[in-house]
Amino acid sequence: MVEDYEAALAFIHGRTQFKKIPTLQRMAIFMEKLGHPEQQLKVIHVAGTNGKGSTVAFLLSLLMATGQTVGTFTSPFLMRFNERISIDNQPISDDDLIDLVNKVQPIVAELDQTLATGGPTEFEIITAMMFCYFAQQKVDVAVVEVGIGGKFDSTNVLTPVVSVITTIGMDHMKLLGDTLPKIAAQKAGIIKAKRPVIIGRISEAPLAEIKQVAESQAAPIDHLGEQYQVEVKPTQDWGEKFDYQLGSRHLSNLKINLMGAYQVDNAANALSAFIRYQELTQGLISADIIREGLQATVWPGRFELISEQPRIVLDGAHNTPAMQVVTKLLKTRFQHQELYVVLAILADKAFETMVKELLTDSHVHIILTTFVGHGTRHAVDPESVIQKLASHERVTAAESWQEALAMAMHQMSSEDTILVTGSLYFISEVRQTLLLDK
């Protein structure tokens, strides 16, 4: 039995993170021992390389606008672990978290003794706790984000009402495969028989892989650019405007407060999933609900403006595809100012490629830095990146992100912008510090 919050977290984080052979068998046994809470839920299941979190945020807001109670399961967290398991945007309480740990702990101990592969991993335990909590609280709908991949992800013991695959990019290649079609095949593992799947903006080769899986499962497809369309509209405001069409449904001048054309894609993916879910569950769909839900969506750490003077933006871009869309946003919406990028990237990421992508914008000045890190995961050494780049004139280094931020503030004018990016773990650390200082 654990008696306090710290002990509960210590139990969760003390578990192994990965097993050598991916399987859902261990998770299925775990669910059976818990009475199959996952079968008591209506779920929208969200996978993809990038855009999962934003898509979940849009779905949460749209579903809440209809008056439904909505559970969300996301990762990682920005401020506190509890954010990962939330209902109507309210993180699970410390007491409920402790109760759930005490509920699963005896079963974990039993499985440790009886399974040849050992008991559940950290993520399997968090996933099981999420299923139990949402079933206990009787949420109307749960929006569940995949951890890594899809086919063998712990969440994939569920059967969704609707599935969503946002994007396919090169990430987690050691686990998912070294080509886009191989990665797509893993993500497509969440597609279930005759359950609709929403597919975001995905290139031809991985798209073909996903469509093949959907066809084999007789799962209806809505694909961005085919069954549903978006057109981004010009705006000077913070955020984006767009037109949307799915079949005979056409909505003009929809407004979101998140920046970037890629967020329009995420909003459209979420809106399509929302419409299909509401159709299948005989729920409310109206233009007013859609406008209200989209405009009310917030997603901390995704091109989030946290200070006006100086202008400081946080974004959790943590791989090459994400950095490409951020760079495109900088080039299109911030082309008339200098951009000071405070950048810290985890050592297991393609840091050189990410830096080079940012440097394609001639207005970008990069200050490479580091941060405390998360468990065994740490930022790459800034000086080693600079050496690989042959001391690029627009790249400097700082020993800490606080020093990097001070350097950027000293160099910038009142018209310029600081972007803090490179890792969700990094911006979490920065966000907590800056918001506590206010």
Side-chain angles (χ1 to χ4, degrees), residues 44-66:
I44 300 174
H45 204 188
V46 182
T49 302
N50 293 310
K52 295 189 297 294
S54 298
T55 300
V56 170
F58 282 118
L59 273 165
L60 166 66
S61 191
L62 286 162
L63 291 161
M64 282 181 65
T66 68

Side-chain angles (χ1 to χ4, degrees), residues 98-125:
I98 292 165
D99 288 345
L100 285 167
V101 166
N102 286 323
K103 180 183 179 71
V104 303
Q105 200 174 36
I107 298 171
V108 171
E110 178 189 341
L111 296 178
D112 279 343
Q113 296 300 316
T114 57
L115 293 181
T117 59
T121 64
E122 176 183 356
F123 189 67
E124 286 169 342
I125 288 169

Side-chain angles (χ1 to χ4, degrees), residues 424-438:
L424 279 165
Y425 297 112
F426 173 44
I427 66 161
S428 170
E429 186 176 312
V430 175
R431 191 175 191 271
Q432 288 187 56
T433 304
L434 295 184
L435 292 184
L436 284 173
D437 286 346
K438 283 190 172 182

Side-chain angles (χ1 to χ4, degrees), residues 43 46 183 283 328:
V43 179
V46 182
I183 293 169
K328 184 177 179 181

Side-chain angles (χ1 to χ4, degrees), residues 264-330:
V264 171
D265 286 357
N266 294 331
N269 298 337
L271 179 51
S272 301
F274 166 78
I275 289 169
R276 293 307 186 212
Y277 178 85
Q278 292 295 93
E279 288 173 345
L280 289 166
T281 58
Q282 289 79 53
L284 287 168
I285 306 172
S286 74
D288 287 345
I289 284 170
I290 289 168
R291 291 183 189 281
E292 176 191 338
L294 290 176
Q295 195 152 359
T297 302
V298 293
W299 190 226
R302 277 66 174 185
F303 223 84
E304 179 188 13
L305 182 66
I306 63 162
S307 171
E308 281 281 9
Q309 283 297 329
R311 183 186 289 146
I312 301 175
V313 175
L314 304 182
D315 191 88
H318 58 280
N319 53 36
T320 301
M323 204 58 76
Q324 287 169 342
V325 295
V326 166
T327 304
K328 184 177 179 181
L329 171 59
L330 296 178

Side-chain angles (χ1 to χ4, degrees), residues 207-342:
L207 176 63
E209 190 71 40
I210 294 168
K211 285 185 172 181
Q212 184 178 337
V213 174
E215 187 176 336
S216 71
Q217 295 281 0
I221 291 172
D222 288 308
H223 173 227
L224 179 56
E226 293 184 58
Q227 287 76 21
Y228 63 106
Q229 313 275 346
V230 291
E231 182 183 351
V232 180
K233 313 292 283 186
T235 179
Q236 297 303 311
D237 299 331
W238 190 271
E240 303 289 344
K241 284 184 179 177
F242 65 100
D243 295 344
Y244 168 89
Q245 184 166 1
L246 170 63
S248 61
R249 296 182 188 277
H250 187 275
L251 293 157
S252 298
N253 291 318
L254 295 173
K255 175 80 169 64
I256 58 174
N257 292 317
L258 278 64
M259 287 281 278
Y262 58 96
Q263 293 293 10
V264 171
D265 286 357
N266 294 331
N269 298 337
L271 179 51
S272 301
F274 166 78
I275 289 169
R276 293 307 186 212
Y277 178 85
Q278 292 295 93
E279 288 173 345
L280 289 166
T281 58
Q282 289 79 53
L284 287 168
I285 306 172
S286 74
D288 287 345
I289 284 170
I290 289 168
R291 291 183 189 281
E292 176 191 338
L294 290 176
Q295 195 152 359
T297 302
V298 293
W299 190 226
R302 277 66 174 185
F303 223 84
E304 179 188 13
L305 182 66
I306 63 162
S307 171
E308 281 281 9
Q309 283 297 329
R311 183 186 289 146
I312 301 175
V313 175
L314 304 182
D315 191 88
H318 58 280
N319 53 36
T320 301
M323 204 58 76
Q324 287 169 342
V325 295
V326 166
T327 304
K328 184 177 179 181
L329 171 59
L330 296 178
K331 288 176 179 177
T332 53
R333 296 292 294 272
F334 296 84
Q335 70 268 47
H336 300 303
Q337 58 184 270
E338 298 303 301
L339 299 152
Y340 294 86
V341 180
V342 175

